[in-house]
Amino acid sequence: MKLYRDVLETELWREVVPFRLFLLLLMQASREDGRSVNGIQLKRGQYIRAYSKLAEDLGYREGRGEKQYSKSTIKRAADKLVKKGLIATEETSVGTLFTLTKYEEIQTGGFKDFFYPSVRGTVAERRENEGETNPVQNQEREKKAEKVKKDDSVQALQKGQKEDEEKDGRIFTLTQKFVDLRSRGPALSAKDQQTLERVAALEIPLDQLLAWMEETQNHYGVQPILSMKYYHAAILTRMKDACTDSGRKAESLKERMARLEKQGNLMQGGKV
């Protein structure tokens, strides 16, 4: 699977659940025709999965707890992808068959051309959002919107959404790095996905995490590291070593200041 930087410029990048679902389907989709899953022959760009299982696959960490989206949330995200023409769905006896309609184009040409332009949407979407209203209703809606903008709770919500977007961006970048280093295809186990989220939640700059992963693989040798848990353990060790080094530097500086202060008192004829 190829990913291009223009995905950051798409409308879907700002929609957390639909984007994560689409990325999961893209990574898990069959890369060749003829793959059989529970007696169903898949074509290239297809994936079959129950919504309950997708809820587990897309589980996330909030604070110290593990959470999952509801099946209805996953279903709404899938419907949005269908509406945008990115996937097609078909119910089967063993789960929902997802077909990525733009699979081949994305593999060769990137993402940007396959999403609707941001903000504007299609004519149908604008009518759905705006509705057939009269001027009085429009004025009332504008007043309510202005009041909401001034509400502190809206600002708090926007801040939370921004944090979620940043978190998902870190997970996405770390996932791509792991897939590249592993060189075993894009499919990830649930444990690898959970570990990637734990690493993304660490209060370490993203560039530093990527550099540590690269160094860990180089130190490991020619064979690729197949489990994200190995990288997680190595990163925790690096963090511990960094804290130890920082503590030593702080102690040395303290001792130096005490020595300089003592020397200053002696020069002034003071008693120590």
Side-chain angles (χ1 to χ4, degrees), residues 45-63:
Q46 289 186 325
Y47 180 58
I48 191 166
R49 191 72 162 166
Y51 283 109
S52 59
K53 292 296 183 181
L54 287 174
E56 295 177 5
D57 297 339
L58 294 172
Y60 61 98
R61 177 180 290 274
E62 185 173 296

